[in-house]
Every structure is written in structure tokens, then in C-alpha cells.
Amino acid sequence: SSRPNPGGDADRIVKLYPNPATSYIIFDLQSNYKKGLTVQVYNGVLGKKMYEAQNIPDKFTLNLNDYTRGIYIYHLVDISGKIIESGKFQVSR
């Protein structure tokens, strides 16, 4: 539905936790996710691509050892190359 959803992320495809994160973050895709998605993670300030994985499973852990503290943006991309969801997470250490 296109109605605004101030109550949070019930209709989002992925939940991220813990957020803020320190050493790792879990991407937990909800039941409405499509198979064959790619996830891309970018540094929120520099815009540099930090990570990309194709055909992601419905739950995976991203190791944050190479990530400095700050904000990171993620995009979920479907098989046609369209971004179907974006969001951000924070790394604090």
C-alpha cells in the first residue's frame, strides 16, 4: 500500500539489527522478499561501495571489521537492476 506508515517498518523487506552495530549486522529479510536479490552497501558520506552480494539468503550476517564508525546506506536490487528498497544503518565503535 502507498499510505504512509509512521509506525515503522512492517512492510519493509529487510530488518537490520543490531543497529547501531559494532562488529557485525544481520540482514533479516521478511517473508515478502523476492528471491535473487542483490544487496549493495555504501559509505553514507563518501558514497563508496563497501559490499555487494548477489542472490542473498533470507538472513545473513555482514562482518563490519573494515567499516569505520558512521552511517552506511544499503540498497536491495532486484534481478532487473531496479532498487526496490533502501535504508541505512549506523556503525558505532
Side-chain angles (χ1 to χ4, degrees):
S1 70
S2 58
R3 65 187 172 74
N5 178 15
D9 48 25
D11 54 357
R12 290 182 75 77
I13 299 169
V14 68
K15 290 187 163 56
L16 273 65
Y17 54 87
N19 189 7
T22 49
S23 56
Y24 67 91
I25 192 161
I26 294 167
F27 283 71
D28 188 357
L29 279 74
Q30 306 305 298
S31 56
N32 59 345
Y33 93 104
K34 301 186 181 104
K35 300 274 191 246
L37 295 180
T38 296
V39 68
Q40 300 170 337
V41 175
Y42 292 88
N43 180 304
V45 178
L46 305 173
K48 181 179 137 212
K49 187 189 286 182
M50 302 288 295
Y51 179 79
E52 178 168 338
Q54 297 174 334
N55 268 317
I56 53 174
D58 57 2
K59 191 185 246 187
F60 72 94
T61 302
L62 177 59
N63 184 314
L64 300 174
N65 283 348
D66 297 335
Y67 291 62
T68 53
R69 65 180 291 157
I71 299 288
Y72 294 84
I73 311 291
Y74 74 86
H75 299 308
L76 290 181
V77 183
D78 71 11
I79 48 178
S80 71
K82 187 173 131 226
I83 294 175
I84 55 172
E85 183 169 296
S86 293
K88 60 188 180 191
F89 63 91
Q90 186 176 349
V91 174
S92 61
R93 41 159 144 260

